[in-house]
Amino acid sequence: MNLDAHTYPHPSKRNVVYGRKGMVATSQPLAAEAGLDILKKGGNAIDAAIATAACLTVVEPTSNGIGSDCFALVWVDGKLHGLNGSGQAPENLTIEAVKEAGYESELPKFGMIPVTVPGTPGAWAKLSEKFGKLPLKEVLEPAIIYAEEGFPLTPTLAKYWERAYNAYSRLFKGDEFAPWFETFSPGGKVPKVGEMWSSPGHAYTLRLIAETNAKAFYEGELADKIDKFFQKHGGYLRKEDLKAYRPEWVTPINVNYRGYDVWEIPPNGQGLIALEALNIIKGYDFTHMDSTDTYHKQIEAMKLAFVDGMKYITDPASMSVDCKQLLSDEYAKERRKLIGEEAITPEPGKPPMGGTVYLAAADGEGNMVSFIQSNYMGFGSGIVIPGTGIAMQNRGHNFSLDPKHDNALKPGKKTYHTIIPGFLTKEGQAVGPFGVMGGFMQPQGHLQVVVNTIDFGLNPQAALDAPRWMWSEGKKIHIERHLAPHIAEELSRRGHDIKVELEGGPFGRGQIIWRDPKSGVLIGGTESRTDGHIAVW
């Protein structure tokens, strides 16, 4: 790994950032600075991460909200901890109920049906309780102030806000969607770049969560409001579902890639896909970054890993294979044999039996956090609980209605989840957190960032700014327009269906913080494809 600030093989819009006492990197400047303020008040990296995450529900509602799910990888005292903050399907939500509602092939994207129990408020409280230094009330205060007093919209935020409003105005016709418009486009007006927006209901909700350590959301006043609204509009979520929820501490999974351990959250997250793909490509030597063969082999490995993930990843209790089987060297060798000179249409293998926000935070004491939080598709389901600012996620859309599928919908089950935090260690020491948000782009972004960092020695900013590719289906590969034309042409000759994208949004938004093991200096990179920002001390 090369942390040289001058290592920029592709055009970069930002310089790499250095600090010593603390660093917070995320997609919205106000949220990153809120986390840094908490560090300066005596909080640690965990407090800073919670403060930033809560603030993001206010200042970037186009990607996440109080009704989100989240996951975290937390490095404390020389050990990596994992927290699964995703919720389960309501007890009344069954395959039969969905089909009776008129949906035969898949769950709808919007409305009451795809809403599962939001895990984020409970996860904030759990993280604070186990690792935080400051009271949750103090940690959530910056988010509460922004919700009450308002903030000016940043360019990327305003673009996606207007895009959502235009789409929702066509799609959302029922009364259950009225609170979304009342909350996010009051008076029929969408906030523009630089205009102020506030949400008193959001502030009130955050204060209740802070004062009760999230119990108000799962057992008290907020749970009652959620239950009442879902019953009124024929939804399935109930107070009993909320009360039954518990965030879950989990053991992170990893593979060793060229001497570095790459860590991910285990299923129901899709980090397994990134690890399987890395396990496949570690059998190759990549000598040149801008080589057609380098791109081709990464793409083919990712396709093979992705189809496995889509077949097997779900709530661990329902998986027909386990992570060890999919991440075994034996299985990686078998999958690697399928990669030739031409693009293939991938099929799942048979292992040997046996809208999202991301943030990274670090403090001067060595604690580091990789944290991701999402409503899934932009604002989520389109369901907002009246007067609360709670925008509910639509994670249930990922469930299968095929009862034989590993990810088949069942009451109380957690679905396949796209959001994944990443973490890097070497020889038992923390290197640092990384992540690239963006739906099914996420494991692909993780693979590319790891390869850029380890194989080609790019610093955090250069690793993020490098041109990206994204596999979508079959042989279709989307590429950024600044990827070298000769590589795109050669990939096309190898059978890849290449589509050049004019916008960077589909390729995800990443953040990285590495720690120099000798000096303790923090080195950060933030996403140039959005309003990315690093707050540093």
Side-chain angles (χ1 to χ4, degrees):
M1 180 185 294
N2 184 355
L3 300 177
D4 182 357
H6 301 291
T7 308
Y8 289 99
H10 297 96
S12 287
K13 298 179 181 179
R14 295 181 170 94
N15 283 325
V16 69
V17 176
Y18 291 86
R20 178 61 181 86
K21 293 184 177 180
M23 185 176 288
V24 181
T26 194
S27 53
Q28 217 284 346
L30 296 176
E33 293 292 339
L36 188 66
D37 287 344
I38 291 298
L39 284 176
K40 291 183 175 181
K41 289 180 179 179
N44 60 16
I46 294 83
D47 296 315
I50 298 167
T52 302
C55 204
L56 283 165
T57 70
V58 181
V59 300
E60 198 174 322
T62 52
S63 302
N64 75 128
I66 299 173
S68 287
D69 284 345
C70 67
F71 295 89
L73 290 171
V74 185
W75 180 271
V76 176
D77 295 331
K79 183 178 180 181
L80 191 64
H81 306 261
L83 183 65
N84 184 324
S86 66
Q88 76 278 11
E91 286 300 316
N92 293 327
L93 186 61
T94 64
I95 290 177
E96 293 74 24
V98 173
K99 291 188 174 182
E100 286 175 8
Y103 299 93
E104 289 293 331
S105 59
E106 64 178 15
L107 280 80
K109 294 179 180 178
F110 304 112
M112 294 283 177
I113 293 176
V115 179
T116 55
V117 174
T120 286
W124 292 344
K126 186 67 70 173
L127 280 170
S128 178
E129 175 188 352
K130 187 174 180 67
F131 293 120
K133 291 175 66 176
L134 300 180
L136 188 61
K137 289 175 64 174
E138 187 172 355
V139 170
L140 296 194
E141 189 63 24
I144 294 169
I145 291 173
Y146 279 122
E148 287 179 335
E149 299 180 0
F151 69 97
L153 268 68
T154 48
T156 303
L157 174 63
K159 178 178 74 173
Y160 286 112
W161 203 312
E162 182 174 22
R163 187 174 293 180
Y165 173 79
N166 292 336
Y168 294 172
S169 295
R170 297 191 305 270
L171 294 170
F172 295 170
K173 303 302 181 183
D175 291 342
E176 68 269 30
F177 297 112
W180 186 93
F181 292 99
E182 293 165 1
T183 302
F184 295 111
S185 60
K189 183 174 180 254
V190 181
K192 305 295 184 183
V193 177
E195 289 185 355
M196 297 290 290
W197 180 81
S198 62
S199 178
H202 199 127
Y204 178 74
T205 294
L206 286 172
R207 185 163 277 115
L208 278 178
I209 291 170
E211 291 173 350
T212 65
N213 286 326
K215 287 185 178 179
F217 190 92
Y218 297 98
E219 302 178 24
E221 178 182 333
L222 298 173
D224 289 333
K225 290 182 177 181
I226 293 169
D227 185 292
K228 181 180 178 181
F229 193 65
F230 271 74
Q231 290 204 49
K232 179 180 178 181
H233 294 285
Y236 299 94
L237 187 63
R238 295 291 182 269
K239 185 176 181 179
E240 290 75 19
D241 299 309
L242 295 166
K243 190 174 182 179
Y245 173 71
R246 299 289 185 275
E248 181 183 3
W249 292 107
V250 295
T251 301
I253 57 175
N254 75 296
V255 297
N256 188 274
Y257 184 76
R258 312 202 198 286
Y260 290 83
D261 286 307
V262 186
W263 298 87
E264 300 277 356
I265 285 284
N268 55 319
Q270 64 176 345
L272 175 65
I273 294 172
L275 297 183
E276 183 183 332
L278 286 168
N279 223 25
I280 294 171
I281 65 170
K282 73 181 183 184
Y284 302 116
D285 291 323
F286 297 137
T287 55
H288 298 289
M289 183 175 184
D290 287 328
S291 158
T292 303
D293 200 56
T294 296
Y295 280 93
H296 172 72
K297 286 185 167 64
Q298 290 180 62
I299 290 168
E300 295 298 282
M302 179 53 65
K303 288 157 61 174
L304 290 166
F306 231 119
V307 293
D308 282 346
M310 295 299 290
K311 180 176 176 63
Y312 297 118
I313 292 175
T314 185
D315 191 313
S318 298
M319 286 180 63
S320 58
V321 299
D322 64 33
C323 294
K324 290 183 180 179
Q325 294 163 348
L326 289 165
L327 297 180
S328 70
D329 288 339
E330 177 187 1
Y331 187 56
K333 183 178 180 180
E334 291 304 310
R335 297 302 263 166
R336 196 179 303 126
K337 289 177 181 178
L338 300 176
I339 300 176
E341 293 299 311
E342 300 291 322
I344 63 171
T345 300
E347 296 290 340
K350 293 182 179 180
M353 296 306 293
T356 304
V357 291
Y358 174 79
L359 67 96
D363 60 33
E365 300 172 1
N367 303 306
M368 306 182 88
V369 181
S370 184
F371 189 98
I372 196 159
Q373 178 172 281
S374 175
N375 269 355
Y376 190 27
M377 296 179 181
F379 283 93
S381 63
I383 300 300
V384 174
I385 309 306
T388 68
I390 301 173
M392 306 294 280
Q393 41 86 322
N394 56 336
R395 283 293 165 185
H397 175 69
N398 275 338
F399 275 121
S400 172
L401 293 181
D402 177 0
K404 296 180 180 179
H405 196 284
D406 280 19
N407 196 41
L409 170 63
K410 290 181 182 178
K413 181 178 179 179
K414 295 181 178 181
T415 186
Y416 176 112
H417 228 288
T418 60
I419 60 175
I420 49 173
F423 204 93
L424 204 63
T425 65
K426 186 175 185 181
E427 298 175 352
Q429 298 298 313
V431 176
F434 71 94
V436 179
M437 54 73 66
F440 295 97
M441 175 64 198
Q442 293 184 53
Q444 307 188 60
H446 281 211
L447 173 96
Q448 291 170 67
V449 162
V450 169
V451 170
N452 290 345
T453 299
I454 296 175
D455 287 271
F456 302 116
L458 303 195
N459 69 58
Q461 191 59 53
L464 290 171
D465 285 340
R468 292 180 191 153
W469 51 266
M470 177 179 66
W471 174 71
S472 57
E473 61 180 351
K475 298 180 180 181
K476 186 175 290 185
I477 305 297
H478 304 258
I479 63 170
E480 291 194 283
R481 56 184 174 177
H482 55 290
L483 190 146
H486 73 276
I487 292 177
E489 291 168 4
E490 179 60 28
L491 287 173
S492 179
R493 283 193 288 271
R494 290 194 183 200
H496 298 281
D497 180 8
I498 301 296
K499 180 175 176 154
V500 180
E501 298 289 347
L502 299 180
E503 288 191 14
F507 297 93
R509 298 181 288 171
Q511 316 292 333
I512 299 173
I513 298 177
W514 301 146
R515 182 187 296 278
D516 186 300
K518 295 181 180 179
S519 66
V521 168
L522 302 169
I523 308 105
T526 187
E527 187 59 73
S528 58
R529 297 166 182 84
T530 188
D531 306 314
H533 182 73
I534 296 179
V536 62
W537 187 16

